[in-house]
Amino acid sequence: APDSLTTWTGCVLRDRGLWHLFYTGTSRKEEGKIQRICKATSTDLDRWRRSAPSEVVELDPAWYEELDLACWYDQSWRDPWVMRDPETGCFHMFMTCRVNSGAADGRGAIGHALSDDLEHWQVGPPIMAPGWFGEMEVPQVERIGDYWYLFCSVSARFHNQAARSALPPPVRTGTIYFIADRLAGPVGQAEHGQPAPGGGGRGRRVAPGHPERQLHVLPGREQRQQPVALEHQRHPVPAQGLAAGRA
């Protein structure tokens, strides 16, 4: 089974009375080196039924890096975030991944797939591939005011060397966010490439009820939770030759 070894980060949403759990799976046969996006469903959030193998979402090598241990330690395709587009009604999936070109330490990207029914997915090019990080983990997307915000976690260990030299020290581990007018992009970047303070940023929430909402980063190692005001500053983000924001 694609999840016979581990089950990792994912998300849950409800559609037409059925709960859908999308999660990361790795298999014993592949020693956990290849990641896939798996799914289970439930009517009560207590008992879950694993979906058919045909519903497993795999990367498309046309855009994304397959397993290459000379380049990276695993095949990155995980942390699915699924949501319905309020304008079109279709579902978007965003995931942690790596593109198949560029410097090995800068291929981290946010992948993208579309579906009409949460069962059949069309994998497309990445929504974000700036060339700055080896990994861009645990993406989440929220609408705040007039803009869409894409949040993800980045590690100081996995900053691209060229990008690292261009950033003021210290290079941080934390949460970074990107801004778009449309859910599918194109995407701009805030905070000048540095993550928000407050730890690993493995989870976050957007506080309602205020025009300048705040991002709360869950505490990391020996760091307290800190609110970070979201700014409406947008800067173009290169996409390593890929069309950023294509759906």
Side-chain angles (χ1 to χ4, degrees):
D3 59 357
S4 60
L5 181 61
T6 64
T7 56
W8 290 347
T9 309
C11 67
V12 177
L13 75 160
R14 192 182 189 192
D15 181 57
R16 290 172 290 185
L18 190 65
W19 294 96
H20 299 258
L21 167 63
F22 293 88
Y23 62 96
T24 310
T26 67
S27 74
R28 296 183 185 279
K29 181 179 179 181
E30 297 159 341
E31 300 179 328
K33 292 184 173 66
I34 294 179
Q35 299 162 11
R36 296 177 176 86
I37 294 172
C38 306
K39 193 183 101 170
T41 56
S42 174
T43 58
D44 58 8
L45 291 175
D46 184 26
R47 292 161 295 184
W48 291 89
R49 180 182 63 84
R50 183 187 285 113
S51 298
S54 61
E55 296 185 43
V56 172
V57 183
E58 305 210 37
L59 63 76
D60 187 335
W63 294 291
Y64 301 107
E65 178 186 272
E66 297 181 284
L67 181 64
D68 181 356
L69 296 180
C71 190
W72 202 250
Y73 60 89
D74 62 16
Q75 179 174 296
S76 179
W77 191 251
R78 64 180 184 274
D79 308 336
W81 178 261
V82 180
M83 62 186 300
R84 184 193 292 272
D85 189 323
E87 295 183 2
T88 66
C90 71
F91 295 94
H92 293 258
M93 180 186 291
F94 305 94
M95 68 285 285
T96 298
C97 63
R98 285 170 52 85
V99 292
N100 58 13
S101 62
D105 63 354
R107 294 188 180 187
I110 303 298
H112 186 224
L114 286 171
S115 175
D116 292 324
D117 57 9
L118 294 174
E119 295 181 7
H120 306 91
W121 291 90
Q122 179 64 48
V123 175
I127 202 79
M128 169 62 58
W132 298 337
F133 311 106
E135 292 182 332
M136 301 171 68
E137 298 187 277
V138 200
Q140 295 185 20
V141 177
E142 298 283 351
R143 180 71 180 263
I144 305 174
D146 295 330
Y147 300 103
W148 290 96
Y149 285 77
L150 187 156
F151 305 100
C152 64
S153 301
V154 295
S155 170
R157 293 189 302 142
F158 296 137
H159 276 60
N160 169 262
Q161 188 58 44
R164 181 189 296 271
S165 62
L167 289 172
V171 173
R172 296 193 298 255
T173 291
T175 297
I176 192 168
Y177 63 90
F178 303 84
I179 307 172
D181 296 313
R182 297 169 47 247
L183 180 55
V187 183
Q189 183 265 338
E191 289 290 309
H192 305 285
Q194 279 281 43
R202 296 293 179 171
R204 44 229 161 249
R205 65 183 177 86
V206 178
H210 196 282
E212 185 181 45
R213 303 191 185 186
Q214 290 185 324
L215 160 68
H216 287 260
V217 182
L218 295 185
R221 222 174 294 171
E222 300 179 357
Q223 296 193 28
R224 294 184 179 181
Q225 177 172 312
Q226 301 183 39
V228 180
L230 299 179
E231 303 171 0
H232 293 301
Q233 296 178 358
R234 293 182 294 167
H235 309 281
V237 175
Q240 297 182 331
L242 298 170
R246 288 178 54 193

